[in-house]
Amino acid sequence: MKLATLRNHHRDGQLVVVSRDLQRMRAVPECATLQAALDQWDAMAPVLQRVADELAAGQGPFEAFRPEACAAPLPRAYQWLDASAYLNHVELVRRARGADMPEELRREPLMYQGGSDDFLGAHDPIEAADEAFGIDLEAEVIVITGDVPIGCSAEAALGRVRLVGLANDVTLRHLVPPEIAKGFGFLQSKPATALSPVLATPDELGPHWRAGKLHLPLLSELNGERLGAPDAGVDMDFDFGRLIAHAARTRRLVAGTIVGSGTVSNRDPAAGVSCLAERRVREQLGGASALTPFLRSGDRVRIEMRDPDGHSLFGAITQTVRTGVAA
Amino acid sequence: MKLATLRNHHRDGQLVVVSRDLQRMRAVPECATLQAALDQWDAMAPVLQRVADELAAGQGPFEAFRPEACAAPLPRAYQWLDASAYLNHVELVRRARGADMPEELRREPLMYQGGSDDFLGAHDPIEAADEAFGIDLEAEVIVITGDVPIGCSAEAALGRVRLVGLANDVTLRHLVPPEIAKGFGFLQSKPATALSPVLATPDELGPHWRAGKLHLPLLSELNGERLGAPDAGVDMDFDFGRLIAHAARTRRLVAGTIVGSGTVSNRDPAAGVSCLAERRVREQLGGASALTPFLRSGDRVRIEMRDPDGHSLFGAITQTVRTGVAA
């Protein structure tokens, strides 16, 4: 089944079940919010699935689904853990600054604790005080987990994946180096992340979800021009089971934890990129005289994943950059 | 007023108003959880204050307050931002490993994004897989904010402080260096944090809360022996207004954000310490032949703050270490 959250006057919005083709939706009186569904998944999932089945069969009432009316599926979440699971991306960035790839990065995932209090809806603007911060998109695959016990194995962790979707993990590139140097992780360099309007259960993804990876191209566009379409199932060095188990090594994770893959990146340059930083690195390594600039006020970013028949799986993240905000 | 959360069958527990002397309490039908109160603070605070006034006047029904029945005031929160605002602590730790104190650490707070999905109650055990992780306490002051706009000034940020309390930010010391080296911040080295059973509004703290600092000694004990009682208002290099503004520089913070001071530390060695790492560093710099070990299974930690008359402000955090848990 597929789920989304409509904006209303509550901070957590209104949960709706969305038809597979993203055309129709229905609210579920028994379950007002996605967090409430995740809190009692074993009891609520069958209720939601029944509505999904009815929508698929054209039974019962429905309303037109409009992604513009959506908040993030979890407008605020209790946890956001973002990895860097595509080491090709890490390697390229390091090579561009003349640094080797430490062997331990191949053994254990890179992962940071992100801000989870304020996720943007798929159509919300990317707000930043200043273009000089080096505003960048990062197109990623995300999963939302149920409760995960401490010390969970990677295999068991994979069984805790409740929902799959996309994220634009916006990064202020020029604020990253000083934060990396401090060693305390990312804070000011990571403003609010946007989520796809719709999330899907793993079974909904059929053969494209296997071995803890989503095997489809992730499309990123800037002002209508393709940035890339790397396959999210290719060159992912740590699958979502490994990522969740890494996070749960010394503590349990509560239901509603969002785990991100990090910027999707393929070794094949023809696949293009999922962020401007990687494009700039490739340009630099290729000896380009000028690099693609980071995002500017008014730029439009679009991130989407389609199945082989061209159907959008999660709806599109379509954001416009707006600078001059506060600070 | 003072607030606490009782354990019940809900993940967020049951909000109660607690009398100033921590002896009596009353639930408030209009407001089931602390997060709900924070979400609509302007409407709910007067309702809660009225109950606090009645408890103080001995009017109306009440029950005995038992801190052992408490969950963390926010058993799960949307954000936990922990600073390192006592630079004396940072300086000592760096000196012990022969590193200078970079000038920029005096200009801008060190702060990391912590796991907020699972806060421990004040009487919950400290669970860890292995003593070899180097289990340590960190006694801190915390505040909980209302909504904070992006780019908020330090002065305005201080006005967004809703509640004040204590935390034990447990750290697995031997997992810290590899995580610092990666630059992505703390993840496995920071298991669940415990909160004091009770939180207080700033007005409740009278003259002890001023200029964004809490001016009272923070007592830490290990197995009944005093570790230290440094004054939380002394040698705090960045007040809570500065800390909140730092976090909000590039994004807004939602109501219920918890901000920590980091390990409370005074320059005066007679004040003692709020964590074992600092005691070990002082021992090392003093040429001791053996260092105090980190926490062992069965060790009992107690963290509390008392006013000059000896009254506990927030109740005590009293935790026992339990190792061999999973992983």
Side-chain angles (χ1 to χ4, degrees):
Chain A
M1 62 189 165
K2 296 188 174 181
L3 303 173
T5 295
L6 301 185
R7 279 182 211 292
N8 62 8
H9 59 287
H10 293 297
R11 289 176 185 254
D12 299 306
Q14 162 74 58
L15 177 67
V16 290
V17 178
V18 181
S19 61
R20 180 169 294 183
D21 62 3
L22 310 182
Q23 296 301 306
R24 288 157 298 139
M25 66 173 190
R26 192 194 300 169
V28 185
E30 298 93 323
C31 197
T33 69
L34 178 54
Q35 185 64 48
L38 291 160
D39 284 350
Q40 304 189 61
W41 188 254
D42 290 344
M44 293 315 308
V47 176
L48 301 171
Q49 184 62 53
R50 209 171 308 134
V51 174
D53 293 343
E54 288 181 16
L55 283 175
Q59 297 167 348
F62 67 86
E63 291 180 79
F65 176 68
R66 293 190 312 114
E68 317 84 65
C70 287
L74 287 177
R76 50 183 183 172
Y78 294 109
Q79 185 152 247
W80 162 226
L81 296 163
D82 197 14
S84 202
Y86 298 84
L87 292 181
N88 181 56
H89 173 76
V90 180
E91 209 170 346
L92 279 172
V93 171
R94 294 184 69 95
R95 204 194 304 161
R97 63 168 202 256
D100 284 343
M101 184 73 176
E103 216 27 60
E104 68 261 28
L105 295 189
R106 301 193 185 282
R107 284 193 299 269
E108 227 185 36
L110 273 173
M111 181 180 281
Y112 74 92
Q113 185 95 36
S116 61
D117 64 318
D118 183 28
F119 282 97
L120 301 180
H123 289 249
D124 288 344
I126 295 170
E127 296 188 332
D130 199 337
E131 284 180 8
F133 286 164
I135 310 162
D136 199 359
L137 72 153
E138 285 192 9
E140 309 196 359
V141 176
I142 57 131
V143 302
I144 301 191
T145 75
D147 291 303
V148 179
I150 185 173
C152 192
S153 72
E155 194 185 350
L158 207 48
R160 303 297 172 120
V161 171
R162 301 292 184 237
L163 295 162
V164 182
L166 305 179
N168 181 14
D169 178 46
V170 175
T171 301
L172 303 176
R173 295 290 177 196
H174 299 322
L175 302 187
V176 167
E179 293 202 320
I180 289 264
K182 282 177 172 180
F184 271 43
F186 309 108
L187 191 75
Q188 294 181 338
S189 57
K190 292 283 186 181
T193 296
L195 300 183
S196 53
V198 172
L199 303 178
T201 48
D203 64 289
E204 187 78 31
L205 303 168
H208 309 302
W209 175 257
R210 58 182 194 273
K213 302 177 186 178
L214 186 49
H215 295 263
L216 283 171
L218 180 60
L219 272 75
S220 296
E221 290 178 358
L222 173 58
N223 298 324
E225 179 209 323
R226 174 174 292 199
L227 284 175
D231 192 309
V234 172
D235 298 332
M236 187 186 190
D237 294 275
F238 303 98
D239 71 83
F240 276 105
R242 284 285 304 278
L243 297 181
I244 298 165
H246 179 79
R249 182 177 171 222
T250 59
R251 56 181 161 124
R252 60 190 175 215
L253 315 177
V254 308
T257 290
I258 308 178
V259 179
S261 66
T263 313
V264 174
S265 173
N266 288 173
R267 293 188 187 280
D268 178 3
V273 298
S274 303
C275 70
L276 294 172
E278 187 171 319
R279 174 182 269 200
R280 288 162 57 95
V281 162
R282 288 185 184 273
E283 288 167 345
Q284 184 191 329
L285 293 171
S289 58
L291 305 185
T292 301
F294 287 118
L295 296 174
R296 291 166 171 166
S297 201
D299 276 350
R300 287 169 296 111
V301 168
R302 185 184 170 90
I303 295 168
E304 195 172 19
M305 186 173 267
R306 293 173 179 275
D307 70 15
D309 296 327
H311 300 124
S312 184
L313 288 179
F314 311 107
I317 297 173
T318 59
Q319 299 184 274
T320 300
V321 178
R322 187 195 293 170
T323 60
V325 179
Chain B
M1 63 189 164
K2 295 187 176 183
L3 302 174
T5 294
L6 301 184
R7 279 183 211 291
N8 62 7
H9 59 288
H10 293 297
R11 289 176 184 254
D12 299 308
Q14 163 74 58
L15 177 67
V16 291
V17 179
V18 182
S19 62
R20 179 168 295 183
D21 62 4
L22 311 183
Q23 297 299 307
R24 288 157 298 139
M25 67 174 188
R26 191 193 302 170
V28 186
E30 298 91 324
C31 197
T33 69
L34 179 54
Q35 185 63 51
L38 291 160
D39 284 351
Q40 303 190 61
W41 189 254
D42 290 344
M44 293 315 307
V47 176
L48 300 171
Q49 184 62 54
R50 210 171 308 133
V51 174
D53 294 343
E54 288 181 17
L55 283 175
Q59 297 168 347
F62 67 87
E63 292 180 79
F65 176 68
R66 293 190 313 114
E68 317 85 65
C70 287
L74 287 177
R76 48 183 185 173
Y78 295 108
Q79 184 151 246
W80 163 226
L81 295 164
D82 197 14
S84 203
Y86 298 84
L87 292 181
N88 182 56
H89 172 77
V90 180
E91 208 170 347
L92 279 172
V93 171
R94 295 184 67 96
R95 205 195 303 162
R97 64 168 201 255
D100 283 345
M101 183 73 176
E103 216 28 60
E104 69 260 30
L105 295 188
R106 301 193 185 283
R107 285 194 299 269
E108 227 184 36
L110 271 173
M111 182 179 281
Y112 74 92
Q113 186 93 37
S116 60
D117 64 318
D118 183 28
F119 281 98
L120 301 180
H123 288 249
D124 288 344
I126 296 170
E127 296 187 332
D130 199 337
E131 283 180 8
F133 286 164
I135 309 162
D136 200 359
L137 71 154
E138 285 192 10
E140 310 196 358
V141 176
I142 57 131
V143 301
I144 300 191
T145 74
D147 292 303
V148 179
I150 186 172
C152 191
S153 73
E155 194 185 350
L158 208 49
R160 302 298 171 119
V161 171
R162 299 293 184 236
L163 295 162
V164 182
L166 306 179
N168 180 14
D169 177 47
V170 175
T171 300
L172 304 176
R173 293 292 176 195
H174 299 321
L175 303 188
V176 166
E179 293 201 320
I180 290 264
K182 282 178 172 180
F184 270 43
F186 309 108
L187 191 75
Q188 294 181 339
S189 59
K190 292 284 186 180
T193 296
L195 300 184
S196 53
V198 172
L199 303 179
T201 48
D203 65 289
E204 187 78 32
L205 302 167
H208 309 301
W209 176 256
R210 57 182 194 275
K213 302 177 187 179
L214 186 50
H215 294 262
L216 283 171
L218 179 60
L219 272 75
S220 297
E221 289 178 359
L222 174 58
N223 299 323
E225 179 208 324
R226 174 173 292 198
L227 285 176
D231 192 308
V234 172
D235 298 332
M236 187 185 190
D237 294 274
F238 303 98
D239 71 85
F240 277 105
R242 283 287 301 279
L243 297 182
I244 298 166
H246 179 80
R249 183 178 170 220
T250 58
R251 54 181 163 125
R252 61 190 174 213
L253 315 177
V254 308
T257 290
I258 308 178
V259 179
S261 66
T263 313
V264 173
S265 172
N266 288 173
R267 293 188 186 280
D268 179 2
V273 298
S274 302
C275 69
L276 294 172
E278 187 171 318
R279 175 182 269 201
R280 288 162 57 94
V281 161
R282 287 186 184 272
E283 289 167 345
Q284 183 191 331
L285 293 171
S289 58
L291 305 185
T292 301
F294 286 118
L295 296 175
R296 290 165 171 168
S297 200
D299 276 350
R300 286 169 295 111
V301 168
R302 185 183 169 90
I303 296 167
E304 195 172 19
M305 187 173 264
R306 294 171 178 277
D307 70 15
D309 297 325
H311 300 124
S312 184
L313 288 179
F314 311 107
I317 297 174
T318 59
Q319 299 184 275
T320 301
V321 178
R322 187 196 293 171
T323 60
V325 179

